[in-house]
Amino acid sequence: MKPILLQGHERSITQIKYNREGDLLFSVAKDTVTNVWYSVNGERLGTYNGHTGAVWCVDCDWDTKNVLTGSADNSCRLWDCETGKQLALLQTNSAVRTCGFDFSGNIIMFSTDKQMGYQCYLNFFDLRDPQQIEDNQPYLSIPCSDHKITSAVWGPLGEFVIAGHENGEFNQFSAKSGEILKKAKEHTKQINDIQTSVDLTMFISASKDNTAKLFDSTSLDHIKTFKTERPVNSAAISPIMEHVVMGGGQEAMEVTTTSTRIGKFEARFFHAAYEEEFGRVKGHFGPINCVAFHPDGKSYSSGGEDGYVRIHYFDPQYFDFELEA
């Protein structure tokens, strides 16, 4: 399988995200640029310009009308997907680490970092109420005083947000009342990434403790564990196969001291039921920071510390592959 190489960033990729149909791929990096690409051939459609700091997160609503980005310039911005026009600017006191549309596309959530004397907050805005945007007043703001949120996703039906914290625990925050509905702590170190399955019933978490784990979204029951030898930066669930893909590597600052083999940072494929690794894909010249499956399950993308996004289309053999139990 030959990858399509997307060269549109000058610094390391922080997140990549497909839209619901999968025809577009959004990528954000530490170089302030938000790019959007055609996933079928890797052609760049355009950029969303305006952020003045590293962009940490990106999301797209279900009908690909709006794009949401959160950045270290202490702002969360809403864009018109088609024209690239900035629709809203939400100022914060610290860097915006995670952001997301709920399924309706009407409500957005984003979390801010604990830094410069400011607490970590999880903020909710209703985009149907222009007053909230104008006054920069979220209808709900939840302080997380103990451990900051490092990754967060919407749960099914937009009733709550599942947040992963730097100490390895998960909380379900209600989007109506702001209370904590459920807690779980299965990881021992920071949660780097959370991604849901296509029907939102499960999510997979990637952690610094060298594992990725599969959970039930509603009950937070721990289902499976996938172990590796190095920190996992990102993990994604295949929409059609019982597969998960994981990307990782050492911390960026330790890369030169440990690895001499070129391009050895692999995306690793595990069987979701048997917890067995069955394949690796080489390619990046640095740790893989994020992975994402195409919504049709026929390709996946990865973004790395090297500033490249690679789209890999699976060979036909992949779909016939059965793990020998």
Side-chain angles (χ1 to χ4, degrees), residues 230 250 258-267 280-286:
R230 44 180 72 138
Q250 307 97 316
T258 48
S259 163
T260 50
R261 256 175 47 241
I262 290 180
K264 102 169 184 33
F265 293 91
E266 300 137 327
R280 295 189 180 189
V281 179
K282 289 190 173 63
H284 283 283
F285 287 87

Side-chain angles (χ1 to χ4, degrees), residues 33-278:
V33 182
T34 304
N35 282 319
V36 57
W37 315 79
Y38 281 119
S39 65
V40 64
N41 57 5
E43 183 189 339
R44 181 160 75 167
L45 249 119
T47 58
Y48 302 94
N49 297 326
H51 279 297
T52 54
V55 188
W56 289 120
C57 53
V58 63
D59 196 23
C60 169
D61 61 1
W62 71 281
D63 56 359
T64 320
K65 209 162 65 204
N66 298 330
V67 180
L68 190 66
T69 54
S71 162
D73 63 7
N74 298 2
S75 75
C76 185
R77 296 174 196 237
L78 185 70
W79 312 85
D80 183 310
C81 180
E82 196 177 358
T83 62
K85 188 167 155 266
Q86 184 177 304
L87 302 176
L89 166 63
L90 303 167
Q91 299 275 359
T92 56
N93 290 325
S94 54
V96 177
R97 179 66 53 178
T98 65
C99 64
F101 288 97
D102 78 335
F103 188 72
S104 68
N106 291 327
I107 294 174
I108 59 168
M109 66 87 183
F110 61 88
S111 74
T112 60
D113 270 358
K114 185 172 164 181
Q115 66 191 68
M116 302 183 299
Y118 291 104
Q119 235 172 301
C120 163
Y121 281 98
L122 183 61
N123 295 319
F124 293 87
F125 282 87
D126 191 329
L127 298 178
R128 292 164 294 191
D129 178 7
Q131 204 59 46
Q132 285 181 23
I133 309 287
E134 212 171 294
D135 304 342
N136 202 3
Q137 255 336 93
Y139 77 84
L140 184 58
S141 188
I142 308 168
C144 306
S145 45
D146 304 338
H147 299 280
K148 76 165 193 186
I149 294 175
T150 49
S151 183
V153 291
W154 279 95
L157 305 174
E159 287 168 4
F160 53 81
V161 164
I162 301 161
H165 298 258
E166 61 183 346
N167 64 336
E169 72 179 6
F170 296 105
N171 284 320
Q172 274 183 3
F173 293 103
S174 162
K176 311 274 186 294
S177 63
E179 62 192 341
I180 295 178
L181 305 172
K182 284 209 170 62
K183 279 187 173 194
K185 188 170 190 307
E186 294 286 343
H187 285 291
T188 52
K189 292 190 181 152
Q190 172 177 316
I191 311 287
N192 288 329
D193 182 36
I194 300 177
Q195 293 193 33
T196 49
S197 59
V198 86
D199 57 2
L200 303 182
T201 54
M202 296 186 296
F203 68 90
I204 190 165
S205 58
S207 168
K208 230 179 198 166
D209 66 8
N210 300 4
T211 64
K213 292 178 190 266
L214 200 61
F215 292 87
D216 182 280
S217 302
T218 315
S219 64
L220 291 192
D221 288 340
H222 172 218
I223 308 169
K224 298 282 177 189
T225 300
F226 310 98
K227 293 190 180 71
T228 67
E229 313 77 63
R230 44 180 72 138
V232 186
N233 293 338
S234 184
I237 304 170
S238 166
I240 56 165
M241 309 283 277
E242 292 185 330
H243 295 168
V244 299
V245 61
M246 289 153 58
Q250 307 97 316
E251 289 289 321
M253 56 190 179
E254 293 160 13
V255 167
T256 50
T257 57
T258 48
S259 163
T260 50
R261 256 175 47 241
I262 290 180
K264 102 169 184 33
F265 293 91
E266 300 137 327
R268 307 170 65 154
F269 284 81
F270 281 76
H271 194 284
Y274 302 128
E275 304 179 344
E276 295 263 334
E277 183 176 358
F278 65 85

